[in-house]
Structure formats: structure tokens, C-alpha cells
Amino acid sequence: MIHFVILNNRQGKVRLTKWYSTYSQKERSKVIRELTGIILSRGPKLCNFVEWRGLKVVYKRYAGLYFSMCIDQDDNELETLDIIHHYVEMLDRYFLNVCELDLIYNFHKAYYILDELLLAGELQESSRRTIARLVAAQDSLVETAREQASLLGDLVK
Amino acid sequence: MASTTSSIMDTLFQRTLEDLIKGLRLQLIGESAFISKALDEIRREIKSTDPHTKSNALQKLSYLSSLHHLDMSWAAFHVVEVMSSSRFSHKKIGYHAASLSFSDSTPVLLLITNQLRKDLTNPNNEFEVSLALECLSRIATTDLCRDLTPEIFTLLSSTKIFVRKKAIALVLRVFEKYPDAVKVCFKRLVENLDSTDPHIVSAVVGVFCELTSNDPKSYLPLAPEFYRILVDSKNNWVLIKMLKIFAKLVLLEPRLAKRVVEPVCDHMRRTGAKSLMFECVRTVVSSLSDYEEAVKLAVVKIRELLLDDDPNLKYLGLNALSIVAPKHLWAVLENKEVVIKWLSDEDPNIKRESLRLVMAMVSENNVVEICRVLVNYALKSDPEFCNEILGSILSTCSRNLYEIVNDFDWYVSLLGEMSRILHCQQGDEIENQLIDICMRVRDVRPELVRVGRDLLIDPALLSNHFLYRILSAAAWVSGEYVEFSRNPFELIEALLQPRTNLLPPSIRAIYIQSAFKVLIFCLHSYLLQRESTTSSYPDTSALSELASKREMPEGSDSATFKAPSHSEQDEVFNPRVSNQSFEELSVGNGGDRTISHGQTSTPVTSENSFTYEAVVNHLNLIELALGPLTGSHDVEILERVRNLLCFIELIKGEVLECLVQKEENLNSAEMKSSKIIKLMSDAFSEELGPVSVSAQERVPIPEGLVLKENLNDLEMICGDIQLPSSISFSLVSNHYEEGVGASLPDLQSKEELEPPSEATSLLAEHRKRHGLYYLSSEKNDIVANDYPPANDPKLQDNQNNDTEDLVKLTEQLLVSKKRPNQAKPRPVVVKLDGDVVPVSANRPGPKDDLLSGAVQEVLLGSDTRTSTSRSNPSDKSSSKRKGKEKLITDPSSELNENLGDAEKLDHENPSSRRSKHRTHGKERRHKSPGKIREEREENGQKEKKKSSHRHARHKTRQRADVPLNVVSETPVIPDFLL
């Protein structure tokens, strides 16, 4: 299973983290520090797998962002690379040419998309179209709620 | 009133998440200051009664928590409040915050059970259900799982695919936390395997993949369903998971392997997806390695991976090869040139994998050549990889008491060579091996002394603190076995050279002690020589007496040690050299001299070897060098220096005197000092042998010694003393008078306590140093030095040639199994009882956890007494597969009930039928997978006739080499699959 997902940029700034196994807040920041150090120090034409504390970390760089997922020793590395790619494609489709700023300002959206893709550390939806539809449906639900809220704000004024 | 106004103000002027992020990026007041300011705002806003303000604050807090690692456990109650909001947008923020921050110990978890139940059963909004499911998959505790199992059970058959697949994924967590849920949910979970919806199947397979990897044996009964999916599914994600499941299952059930191997190979051939192909390869090499055809196919695919440009595929190919290596070394040998090529890849991970594989190829036929090339690689590598290479050479060669090393002279000089590599940090290991080999392999000692001398004599090495441990081993060896030295005086100079002050005290003490031993040897030889010249004995006899002090192997070795020890006096000990100043002398001891030694090793008459001048000069040298150390602050050094200086004091007068009377016919044996020297020499020439770790047990316990006293108190005192984990030696004395030819293991038994004497007290010092209480006071104080760096890596040979060299070499060597220079027989390596215990690490016992128990109960029916059969001692199946035993159910009762197949019980006289139907079984193996289904039907028909089914089983049983009564173990797997 996937133990966690980390997204960070070339400067080591974290853009998204999602933990499917239990790590305390302290462990989380330690893991992130350790892994970004390892991953950022690796050159561009090397393989995308790093053995780490008996687990494997699969990472891939898209523009200035590194997407890393930590998997078990006997999990399939190539499959995980596919999942990462899948996620990136979905972000790209959702934000229309995704860039780092999109993820910075819409960090919760990035989480919601990830939640549709993975659940309990397992891939749960491999169809991009389905995910796009689900995310859009939920967005519209949120929108209606927000409209109501702003209506309320107007009333108060 | 005031609170409502403030909340309205908050609503109107609240910073949104976007404002927060913008502010953070602007960083007008610094990040931490901004965050703490924002946090203050959040703390205020989150208490607001307006749900919008509250949820907005929570969202900001989640942002800070997830990306800036802020603690948000204090807001747990507010999270619950937002979760219970009726608005979807708020709820979403609340659930997200909960899955981010809640842990098992969060106290408010008790409050959310009802909220979750309400959301899980929400009939109108499936997205709210899915929010609850997602959140539960992160935060579920035992209590939550227990309380919500009914709702999850309902959702497992929900008509909404979107919800059902999430419920399925959640089941994994529920089972883990609350195994009793298995009773309720498992059946429905299994039913979902048959679903026509690919999403559902994918989710279920994911769950089973995780479950199986933790506890494969419980899911063996589901093999038929899995098999169907493996054959039918077109979804690569599902197939990969399926392969993982089978990789675990076939290890438990060899007959399953036979069935699975065809479809797996089929997928491997057909698929275009590299991930699926690699998974097939990995399944074959790790679990189906008994099937030659499949392995061959897998190796072909591995080769494709290895030759790919993509570093990922390269890495995975190497990875797969290292899985296959232990069982099918040919696969590695076939690809050796590629493997060796990647040894110089730019990616350290790939290099490491290929190094692993190269080491897997090492055998006693090619160890010399592979090591030579690897050492050349090490010279050119970065420090980290260099040490990895050296480390793996050391561990491979020392494996199983140097099993693959035939030529120890070579190995010892390799150790010497490795020590001189600039980046070498393997000092401890090399030190251990040098001493270990010295103890175990008698024949190699002359070479060891030579290697030790070369290391000691090089002043540049003293500046590298990684080498100190090796130097200490070299010093000890040279002192202990000085009689093999070509030139003992040279050793004294090396051991006392001025740069030894760079050494840490503990090692310097060893140097001084070794110098002491060498000096004694020199004096003793000198006296013997005088004796022989003055008396009527032929000179050879005196020397041969000396030689026989150490039981020397017959033949060339004894000759080499005798001759050189007396040669070269002209060059080394002529007055010109010895009149040089101290510094010049020691610096002048370069490697050049070794060469001249070799050239002028014409036998010199032994009368001249230990001259008066040489002895006196070296006595002076020692006094000069050690004089300043009498003020040393280190006890070890001080003690040894005093010993040595006092000894010299004691004998010097007489030695000088006796030399004056040189020409007179004085009987030196009667001199007082010569007696002392003789005594000391005897003490030092006691053989130090290895002692089994368990030797202590054989010593009878003296009467009156209380051993069973409670020594718990000592733990506090001795807690920090660590016993060496490796084989430890203590040194014992033994009496050569008892029998020169006695072999070392015998000597052990002769071990006895010597009467307390000077000799034993000196020996005790050795024991102290090399026994359990080896001093390890390491101070890496590196004194500034103006010497050139120890050694420059030899870079003259270019890298490409090297690769080719190795390829060629391995080609030659791996093809011709015959070792070319087998002329020299392998010397005896002393082994001790306590030594060789390559215990296969105890596998952890079966995890008798609740989950597997529950699953088995569901799958096998409630009357399956798995636990009783597990502990059944009379169970005859001595199957080596552990997991199998656990599946054994009581044969007499279950078979009929569970399967209603009376035929299964038929195990009378199966061997007679086996031969009859073997050919039949073979035909079946070649059938194409498309026919499998037909075949299955066929089997079904035949079952009625009670015929072919049994044969098939016998065939597989034979293949698997399992005792015949396995039949009784198999009721859990439905027939048609086997």
C-alpha cells in the first residue's frame, strides 16, 4: 500500500502531504526533511526509486515539483509511477495546465482530487473521466453552499 | 450582544484562505511571525458561532498544519463542530481536517460516532457518504469500527458503485482494527469479487492483496476466485494485484503453482505494459522459480529491462536478477557483461544493485580476478561506493570462515592493498580479519608478517586515522610472529618511528609491546648465534632449535624464513647506516629496500646476521625513542615503556661487557642476562591459539566457587561493557614440549593453567588486549603532519579497459570451472565448535492474530479446528512449508462436510498409480491456457468416474516432494483448480 504522498518543489518547500499510515506530527516533519534531502540531491537522469528505511520511495519530477509516494518493499514501482502520473494528469485536467501556484492557492482541491484517486493507500479509481466528473459534482455542491453564504452576508449588510 | 457583533465583524473582515496564502508568500513580517499572528486570528475566529467563519478558520488551520507542521490537536472539538454542519462545503472542510489531524488518542473521537452514522446512511447525498468513508479510512478506531460495522456492511452492497467501492476499501482498515467485523462483512466482500463492475473488482482485489500479504494462508481457499480474475481480467491494475496475491499463495501450495504458471507466462508474453510485465517477472523469479520454462522466459524479459535506456527499468532488471540469483545463478552469468557494465553507472542505486550481483557471482574459481577488478573500481569510485565495494569484498571473502579463499597469501596481500586505498574506512573489519586469519591459518603467517611490515614501515600511512586499527593488527602480527620476519631490526625501527606519535595511545601501546617482542627475539637470536660460534655446535643446530620453537610447516616455508632472517646484515646493519641519525634511519626505511632484499638474498653466513653493532644501536634507538614517553599520561603506554626500558637497563651492561670479551671463549649461556633473555623469549614464543567461545563451559567448576549468586547488581556496573558480537578470541598458552605436531584443536583441550610466572603475566597482557576486554580507547586526534598524503589512487589505467577486462575475465573463468593454478592446496583453516553457526535466523512464528483466525473461521466453516490441528503433535506431515501445516484441518471430519468429496479420502496405495499416470500429467502441462476451462469441465466429469482427478494430484504431489498424506491437508481448496 501507499504509506504517504509528498509533494515538494525544487527548493524543498512542501506543497502537499497525505499520510495513509500513522505518523505523528513530529515524525512527519522528520520524514519530509529526510526524504526531500535524498530526493533533491539526486540528479536528473537517475532512476526514480529510492530505498528508504525498509520501504521504497518512488518519486518523479514534473516541472519544478517532485511527487513522491512511499510504498512497501514488494509493491510495484512502475505501477506507483503510473499512479503519480495519473494524479498529475488529473491535476492538469482540473486546473487546465496546472502550475505550482494552482496547487498553492487551491491546496484543498488538490487534496480532494487525491482523495478520489486513493483511499486507504490503495488506488480506487483509475478512470480520469470519472474522477473529473466526481470532483466537478462536489465542486458544484460547494458552490451552491457558498452562494447561500454570500447571500447571507449581503443580508447582514 | 457583544459576541454577535464580534462574530459579524469576523465574518465581514475575516481573512480567507487565499489571503492567508498571499500573506505568507509576501512575507512582510517573516514567516514564523506571520504564522503566529494568523494562528491568533484563527483561534478567535474558530470560536465564532457563524458556521462560515468557523469553517473558514478551520480550513486555514488545516493549511498551516499540513504544510507548516503546526499542531492542531487543540482544535479537535471545533473540527467535530464543523463536521456536523449541515452544509456540504463546511462538512467537507471538517472531514478533511479530521482525517488530517485525528489520531487514535484524540479524545473527541467518541463524540463523532453518531455523526458518522448519520452521514454514512445519508440516502440523499452520496458525496456525504463518501466523505465519511474517506475520513473513517484514516481515523477509524476499534470502537468506531465496532459501532459502525452494520452501516459499512449495508454499504458493501450499495447500488451506488461510487459508494460501494469506497466501502470496500474501508473494510481493510475495519478488519485491521476490529477483526470481529470479518464475521459480518467477509462474505459480502467475497461476493463483490464476482461483481461485473471493474471498479468494484479493482477495489476488492486491492483489499485482498493487502490482506494476503500479511497472512497468505487464510486466503488460500479463495484461490479459485482469484484464478478466475487472473485469467479473465483485462485490467492491468487488477492483474498486478492478482499476481501479488498469487506470489504469496503459491509458496504455500505448490499445486497451485502448477496451475498459475501458465497464465502468468501468458500475461508476460502478451502485455505491453511494463509494470505488468515486471510484476509477472517478479512473481516468477520469487515464487515460481521451480519452473524452468517460466524462469527462462522471465530471464529473457529481464535482459530486455537491463538493456533498456530507462534507468528505472535497468534498476528493476537488476533487482529481479538479484532475486533470481540464489536459485538460478546461470541467469546472472548470462547477463554478466551488462551487470558489470552498470557497475560504472552514474546512479548509485544501480551501481549498488550491480555490485550485489557481481558479488553473487563470486566463487572460489574467480574470486581472485573479480576482487582484483573490483579493487580497481574502488580506486576510482567516490568514497561512499568505494567503501561499499570494499565492504562487500570483505564480507563475501570471509563468509563461512573464508570458504571461497584458497590462496591465503593472495588474500592477505589483498587486505594489505585494500588498506592502502585512500578512501578505505573498513579498518575495523580488516583488523579483525587480519588477526582472525593469523590465528586460524598457520601457513599464511610469513606472508602476513611481510604484509604487516610493509604497512608498518610506510610513514605516510600513519597520517590516516582510518588505518589505525589495521596498523595495530599489523603491529601485533609482526611482534607475535617476528621469527618470520626477514629483518627484525627494521621492524623495531618501523615500530618506533617518530610519526607513531600520531597514533592513539591504545594502539601506540601495542606498537611498543610489539617492539619489545621483536627486541627479545633479536637478542635471543644474537645469543644463540654467539653460542653456536663460541661453542662447538654447528651453527645450524642453534638456529634450527630456534626455528622449532614454532612448529613450522615443512618445506619451502621454513627455508624462506630461515634464510632471509640472516641475510642482508651487510646492507642494513653496517656501521654506516647505524651511525645515521635516528630520523634519517627511520625515514630511510622505504620500500626500496625490500627490492634490494629480494635481489641480494644470497645466503649470508649466519655468523654475521646479528652483529654486536646492530644490537647496541637498536638498544640505543629504543632508549632514545621511548625515553620521552616515560612521562606519558596514558597508563598503557607508560606501563609498556617502563617494562621495555627497565629490561634494557637490566641487560645492557652485560651485553656490552660480553661484547668486549667477544674474542674470548666465554660461555654466554651462563650469563645472567642471557638467562633473562631466554626466559623472556620462551614466554613470547608461546603459541597463541584461537579459543572456542564455548571453551569456558568445559572448564570444571572448582569446589567452593559460588556461581549462582544473584548478580543483578553487576548489571548496573557492567551495563556499558559490550561484548564483541563477532567471534572473540582469547589467547591461551600451551606447551610445545608436549608435542610439536599437535594440531590446534587438540591444543585447546590441553589448555591448562600455567604456574604464575613472568611469562604468564606477559601473556595476560596479550589477553587483555585481544581478548574480551580489548581496549578501545580511540582518540582520533589527528596531529598536523607535513607528509605527503598516504597514497594516491592509481588512475593510470583507463576505465573502459577495466570493464572489458572484467567481462573477459568472467567469461573465461565462469566457463572454465577448473581453477588454473590449483597446484597449491588450500591451507588448513582452524575451525572451532563455537564458530560456524550460520543459523538461519529463526523465522517469526505464525502470527496467530485475531484477523486470520476470523477469516479462516468464515472461509472454512465454524467447525474447522485450525488451532487444534496446528498443535497436533502426531501430525505426520513433516512438510517443510510452514504455512501449510496451519491449514491442516482434521481430515476425518472436515473432508466430508466441507467438500462432500469422498474421493479425497482415498489415500490407499497411491504410489502404485503414480507411475501409471505420469505421462498423462505431462501432456496436460502443455495444454494451452485456453483449454484450461475445458479441462476443468473434463475434470468435473472425470471426478464422477473417480479416476483422472486423483492422478493429477499424485503428479503434483510428486513434483512438490511432499509426503504422501498431504491429501489430508487440502480440503480447503476446491478440486477443480488442482
Side-chain angles (χ1 to χ4, degrees):
Chain A
M1 68 177 278
I2 296 166
H3 294 279
F4 53 79
V5 180
I6 297 175
L7 239 114
N8 56 270
N9 66 9
R10 247 181 308 173
Q11 287 76 43
K13 274 233 181 274
V14 183
R15 292 301 176 211
L16 180 145
T17 55
K18 179 86 186 175
W19 308 84
Y20 296 103
S21 300
T22 315
Y23 289 87
S24 74
Q25 193 69 263
K26 222 184 208 165
E27 286 167 333
R28 289 180 187 183
S29 38
K30 191 164 167 249
V31 166
I32 291 174
R33 221 175 317 122
E34 206 173 300
L35 276 182
T36 39
I38 295 174
I39 289 168
L40 292 180
S41 67
R42 285 177 64 81
K45 278 180 190 160
L46 310 184
C47 70
N48 295 106
F49 318 125
V50 179
E51 286 187 23
W52 175 79
R53 295 201 204 166
L55 300 170
K56 286 185 294 201
V57 175
V58 178
Y59 73 93
K60 188 148 173 73
R61 183 176 161 179
Y62 287 91
L65 279 179
Y66 287 86
F67 291 72
S68 344
M69 291 188 180
C70 175
I71 52 174
D72 280 323
Q73 194 69 69
D74 54 356
D75 275 332
N76 193 320
E77 294 93 337
L78 295 174
E79 184 196 19
T80 313
L81 270 183
D82 277 349
I83 295 177
I84 291 177
H85 188 66
H86 220 61
Y87 182 47
V88 174
E89 278 188 326
M90 237 127 48
L91 290 175
D92 201 45
R93 179 189 276 241
Y94 184 83
F95 291 109
L96 301 176
N97 283 330
V98 66
C99 66
E100 197 180 338
L101 277 181
D102 288 326
L103 297 184
I104 292 169
Y105 285 107
N106 297 292
F107 95 106
H108 49 294
K109 298 267 173 60
Y111 274 108
Y112 299 153
I113 296 172
L114 188 62
D115 282 346
E116 293 303 328
L117 181 71
L118 300 173
L119 191 105
E122 297 285 336
L123 179 85
Q124 59 146 344
E125 180 56 73
S126 51
S127 152
R128 253 162 287 160
R129 199 184 310 143
T130 317
I131 293 180
R133 186 171 51 76
L134 292 170
V135 174
Q138 293 181 61
D139 273 355
S140 69
L141 270 178
V142 174
E143 268 323 302
T144 47
R146 188 170 298 154
E147 275 161 24
Q148 283 167 9
S150 60
L151 218 70
L152 192 80
D154 291 342
L155 281 178
V156 174
K157 274 177 194 169
Chain B
M1 191 60 209
S3 71
T4 42
T5 10
S6 81
S7 96
I8 287 169
M9 293 301 281
D10 279 345
T11 316
L12 292 178
F13 299 104
Q14 187 184 22
R15 258 186 237 262
T16 60
L17 176 65
E18 201 170 324
D19 298 334
L20 176 82
I21 297 168
K22 274 185 186 148
L24 257 179
R25 286 172 65 77
L26 273 175
Q27 292 211 341
L28 289 175
I29 53 170
E31 191 176 273
S32 58
F34 185 85
I35 288 177
S36 62
K37 193 163 155 272
L39 203 59
D40 286 342
E41 281 174 15
I42 290 169
R43 275 178 197 277
R44 189 157 39 80
E45 291 163 6
I46 210 163
K47 293 193 188 104
S48 156
T49 48
D50 174 39
H52 184 68
T53 313
K54 196 191 267 295
S55 66
N56 210 350
L58 186 62
Q59 192 172 29
K60 288 193 282 185
L61 185 58
S62 325
Y63 176 84
L64 293 177
S65 164
S66 91
L67 299 189
H68 297 273
H69 311 297
L70 229 60
D71 178 49
M72 63 177 284
S73 54
W74 56 269
F77 185 74
H78 303 292
V79 172
V80 176
E81 282 180 320
V82 178
M83 274 166 79
S84 58
S85 160
S86 56
R87 284 222 182 84
F88 181 70
S89 56
H90 299 163
K91 210 183 258 298
K92 197 160 186 173
I93 291 167
Y95 271 114
H96 180 235
S99 61
L100 185 70
S101 65
F102 282 12
S103 69
D104 284 1
S105 56
T106 306
V108 293
L109 276 178
L110 297 170
L111 302 175
I112 62 172
T113 314
N114 274 323
Q115 180 61 41
L116 282 170
R117 183 173 291 143
K118 210 176 111 204
D119 287 337
L120 284 176
T121 51
N122 186 333
N124 302 320
N125 191 344
E126 57 178 11
F127 295 112
E128 284 188 7
V129 183
S130 105
L131 276 185
L133 286 171
E134 268 162 20
C135 181
L136 256 183
S137 77
R138 259 315 289 130
I139 65 167
T141 59
T142 308
D143 288 341
L144 279 176
C145 289
R146 188 187 53 230
D147 296 338
L148 296 173
T149 297
E151 281 74 25
I152 294 165
F153 173 72
T154 321
L155 289 175
L156 278 179
S157 58
S158 162
T159 50
K160 288 170 185 150
I161 300 296
F162 171 64
V163 171
R164 197 186 335 167
K165 71 176 190 212
K166 290 196 174 180
I168 289 168
L170 170 63
V171 160
L172 186 64
R173 172 93 180 183
V174 175
F175 282 2
E176 181 193 319
K177 291 282 171 187
Y178 178 62
D180 281 353
V182 171
K183 285 181 198 146
V184 185
C185 299
F186 199 76
K187 259 217 159 103
R188 203 162 261 191
L189 188 68
V190 175
E191 280 164 20
N192 276 313
L193 273 176
D194 298 326
S195 165
T196 50
D197 188 283
H199 297 112
I200 301 294
V201 175
S202 162
V204 186
V205 169
V207 171
F208 276 114
C209 184
E210 277 306 306
L211 288 173
T212 315
S213 75
N214 294 331
D215 169 40
K217 65 181 191 303
S218 305
Y219 304 93
L220 213 43
L222 290 171
E225 275 85 7
F226 293 153
Y227 182 80
R228 188 179 47 73
I229 296 173
L230 179 71
V231 174
D232 294 345
S233 178
K234 297 275 178 289
N235 183 338
N236 284 350
W237 307 98
V238 172
L239 284 174
I240 288 172
K241 294 259 186 282
M242 223 58 251
L243 287 166
K244 283 190 190 307
I245 294 177
F246 274 110
K248 291 277 185 325
L249 292 187
V250 296
L251 292 177
L252 304 176
E253 180 50 79
R255 286 167 298 170
L256 201 55
K258 186 174 167 261
R259 276 311 236 165
V260 163
V261 68
E262 262 310 307
V264 171
C265 290
D266 227 43
H267 282 306
M268 201 183 333
R269 272 186 223 110
R270 224 175 29 205
T271 182
K274 285 274 191 291
S275 52
L276 179 58
M277 190 266 269
F278 177 67
E279 197 58 47
C280 291
V281 168
R282 187 146 61 184
T283 309
V284 168
V285 295
S286 61
S287 305
L288 297 168
S289 52
D290 293 335
Y291 295 85
E292 282 293 329
E293 287 299 314
V295 173
K296 273 182 192 151
L297 182 62
V299 171
V300 171
K301 295 285 179 187
I302 290 175
R303 194 174 171 77
E304 281 173 24
L305 293 176
L306 286 176
L307 295 174
D308 205 288
D309 281 338
D310 185 350
N312 289 337
L313 299 184
K314 253 191 270 181
Y315 175 80
L316 293 177
L318 291 170
N319 214 321
L321 262 193
S322 59
I323 300 174
V324 85
K327 267 195 160 176
H328 300 276
L329 195 60
W330 58 267
V332 188
L333 299 182
E334 251 176 33
N335 294 299
K336 59 182 175 299
E337 67 289 346
V338 194
V339 170
I340 289 158
K341 195 171 140 206
W342 298 143
L343 205 56
S344 42
D345 197 83
E346 55 181 328
D347 189 336
N349 292 356
I350 291 179
K351 281 199 285 194
R352 205 172 301 132
E353 283 293 320
S354 67
L355 174 64
R356 246 179 251 173
L357 282 170
V358 171
M359 291 330 282
M361 285 191 274
V362 173
S363 71
E364 57 185 88
N365 299 311
N366 57 21
V367 61
V368 178
E369 287 75 13
I370 289 191
C371 286
R372 202 192 66 220
V373 181
L374 282 179
V375 166
N376 281 340
Y377 264 104
L379 283 170
K380 284 170 290 190
S381 304
D382 54 307
E384 196 188 341
F385 191 58
C386 169
N387 276 300
E388 256 172 69
I389 292 180
L390 297 183
S392 55
I393 292 176
L394 287 171
S395 63
T396 310
C397 289
S398 64
R399 195 172 50 210
N400 247 342
L401 292 180
Y402 314 96
E403 195 177 43
I404 57 169
V405 179
N406 261 324
D407 181 354
F408 276 92
D409 285 354
W410 159 78
Y411 187 58
V412 167
S413 45
L414 178 76
L415 288 178
E417 201 182 316
M418 282 160 72
S419 320
R420 286 166 177 272
I421 292 175
L422 189 61
H423 302 303
C424 173
Q425 295 172 10
Q426 306 286 338
D428 289 5
E429 182 57 30
I430 294 178
E431 179 206 22
N432 279 340
Q433 291 198 10
L434 282 175
I435 293 179
D436 193 33
I437 292 173
C438 192
M439 294 285 190
R440 290 178 193 278
V441 190
R442 190 172 284 265
D443 298 1
V444 82
R445 283 170 194 166
E447 176 67 12
L448 249 174
V449 170
R450 194 192 61 74
V451 169
R453 168 210 170 269
D454 288 352
L455 289 173
L456 291 176
I457 220 159
D458 186 346
L461 295 182
L462 284 164
S463 58
N464 182 351
H465 67 272
F466 290 120
L467 289 184
Y468 289 166
R469 312 290 308 180
I470 303 172
L471 289 176
S472 86
W476 179 79
V477 167
S478 328
E480 190 57 34
Y481 300 102
V482 58
E483 71 269 18
F484 299 122
S485 168
R486 284 159 179 248
N487 186 344
F489 287 122
E490 186 187 53
L491 274 178
I492 294 186
E493 287 154 20
L495 288 168
L496 297 175
Q497 58 182 298
R499 277 169 66 83
T500 52
N501 63 8
L502 297 171
L503 292 169
S506 62
I507 290 168
R508 194 149 195 215
I510 295 172
Y511 265 62
I512 295 165
Q513 183 71 11
S514 293
F516 194 5
K517 287 192 221 166
V518 176
L519 176 70
I520 296 287
F521 174 80
C522 292
L523 289 171
H524 188 61
S525 309
Y526 171 66
L527 287 178
L528 278 180
Q529 187 186 309
R530 273 184 57 81
E531 216 173 297
S532 62
T533 46
T534 51
S535 65
S536 56
Y537 292 128
D539 49 4
T540 44
S541 71
L543 286 156
S544 63
E545 185 203 333
L546 177 70
S548 63
K549 283 273 178 202
R550 293 290 172 84
E551 177 206 356
M552 273 302 300
E554 297 301 316
S556 60
D557 280 338
S558 64
T560 52
F561 105 87
K562 261 188 245 167
S565 62
H566 313 127
S567 61
E568 296 320 305
Q569 63 85 32
D570 289 331
E571 191 179 328
V572 184
F573 300 123
N574 70 28
R576 211 164 17 87
V577 177
S578 46
N579 285 341
Q580 281 174 335
S581 74
F582 179 73
E583 274 78 10
E584 278 174 306
L585 196 62
S586 44
V587 173
N589 275 328
D592 318 15
R593 198 168 290 176
T594 338
I595 300 159
S596 58
H597 274 224
Q599 286 165 346
T600 58
S601 63
T602 45
V604 185
T605 45
S606 53
E607 289 103 293
N608 301 331
S609 56
F610 294 95
T611 59
Y612 168 71
E613 289 82 12
V615 170
V616 173
N617 271 325
H618 283 87
L619 286 177
N620 289 333
L621 172 81
I622 292 171
E623 279 182 320
L624 184 70
L626 296 184
L629 287 175
T630 47
S632 168
H633 293 299
D634 191 89
V635 185
E636 288 290 325
I637 294 183
L638 192 63
E639 169 116 4
R640 281 170 178 74
V641 167
R642 283 276 161 80
N643 280 346
L644 186 44
L645 289 180
C646 290
F647 175 78
I648 290 175
E649 195 83 352
L650 202 64
I651 58 151
K652 199 172 180 185
E654 273 189 80
V655 170
L656 293 179
E657 199 176 305
C658 103
L659 258 291
V660 177
Q661 306 164 330
K662 202 171 176 180
E663 304 309 319
E664 295 170 29
N665 206 358
L666 180 113
N667 191 352
S668 62
E670 282 167 20
M671 270 166 37
K672 191 174 140 215
S673 63
S674 75
K675 273 186 196 156
I676 298 171
I677 292 170
K678 181 130 183 22
L679 196 67
M680 293 294 285
S681 168
D682 284 351
F684 279 141
S685 57
E686 290 287 349
E687 177 82 3
L688 303 173
V691 175
S692 159
V693 186
S694 58
Q696 178 72 41
E697 289 163 18
R698 291 188 218 144
V699 180
I701 299 167
E703 269 180 60
L705 182 67
V706 187
L707 283 178
K708 303 224 162 126
E709 198 105 311
N710 191 350
L711 294 176
N712 279 347
D713 297 346
L714 276 178
E715 219 156 88
M716 285 160 62
I717 304 160
C718 308
D720 52 342
I721 299 174
Q722 285 184 335
L723 294 179
S725 56
S726 59
I727 306 149
S728 56
F729 289 110
S730 58
L731 307 179
V732 287
S733 65
N734 43 50
H735 303 274
Y736 266 86
E737 293 76 31
E738 281 185 35
V740 177
S743 66
L744 270 175
D746 285 350
L747 290 174
Q748 259 178 58
S749 55
K750 285 180 205 153
E751 171 193 1
E752 53 187 280
L753 291 170
E754 262 192 67
S757 68
E758 199 178 359
T760 44
S761 75
L762 283 161
L763 275 170
E765 273 179 18
H766 290 281
R767 201 170 297 153
K768 239 174 159 180
R769 275 189 283 135
H770 292 288
L772 282 176
Y773 305 107
Y774 198 105
L775 287 170
S776 59
S777 60
E778 269 184 291
K779 285 179 207 154
N780 292 339
D781 39 358
I782 304 152
V783 184
N785 60 82
D786 42 5
Y787 275 81
N791 30 30
D792 288 319
K794 291 143 200 156
L795 286 163
Q796 61 269 41
D797 41 356
N798 66 43
Q799 189 154 346
N800 299 338
N801 278 351
D802 246 11
T803 317
E804 283 161 25
D805 275 359
L806 187 53
V807 174
K808 270 186 223 151
L809 261 170
T810 40
E811 254 162 30
Q812 294 163 7
L813 286 156
L814 300 172
V815 171
S816 62
K817 284 284 176 193
K818 191 88 174 83
R819 189 181 160 77
N821 51 344
Q822 197 70 53
K824 209 161 151 191
R826 187 171 194 263
V828 183
V829 180
V830 178
K831 292 178 185 173
L832 302 168
D833 331 332
D835 275 352
V836 206
V837 203
V839 195
S840 54
N842 261 347
R843 291 241 229 99
K847 259 205 301 179
D848 203 345
D849 64 334
L850 293 163
L851 180 57
S852 68
V855 171
Q856 284 178 15
E857 214 169 283
V858 172
L859 283 171
L860 306 180
S862 52
D863 52 344
T864 311
R865 295 176 308 190
T866 42
S867 54
T868 51
S869 66
R870 202 175 303 167
S871 57
N872 187 1
S874 65
D875 182 358
K876 268 187 283 175
S877 79
S878 57
S879 160
K880 275 152 205 153
R881 273 165 294 276
K882 264 187 168 179
K884 211 156 182 186
E885 289 164 5
K886 283 149 220 156
L887 269 172
I888 304 166
T889 49
D890 191 346
S892 53
S893 63
E894 257 73 62
L895 282 171
N896 293 329
E897 290 171 22
N898 284 355
L899 293 149
D901 190 0
E903 192 196 5
K904 282 235 159 196
L905 279 170
D906 181 7
H907 27 166
E908 34 104 33
N909 202 12
S911 54
S912 65
R913 296 173 198 195
R914 195 191 300 157
S915 56
K916 210 166 92 191
H917 295 284
R918 196 178 296 162
T919 47
H920 179 59
K922 267 180 192 157
E923 279 166 29
R924 288 158 47 105
R925 250 183 67 198
H926 295 298
K927 279 185 184 170
S928 71
K931 288 182 189 162
I932 284 174
R933 204 173 313 202
E934 290 167 33
E935 195 187 326
R936 207 184 292 161
E937 284 163 23
E938 246 173 61
N939 272 355
Q941 288 166 4
K942 281 179 185 169
E943 261 170 42
K944 284 170 196 158
K945 295 174 200 160
K946 300 187 177 184
S947 63
S948 94
H949 170 73
R950 205 184 301 130
H951 312 146
R953 185 153 10 97
H954 292 158
K955 169 79 172 70
T956 47
R957 187 188 309 146
Q958 188 192 6
R959 171 184 287 276
D961 216 6
V962 181
L964 290 176
N965 59 343
V966 268
V967 185
S968 61
E969 301 176 14
T970 60
V972 290
I973 302 188
D975 270 344
F976 64 88
L977 196 68
L978 307 168

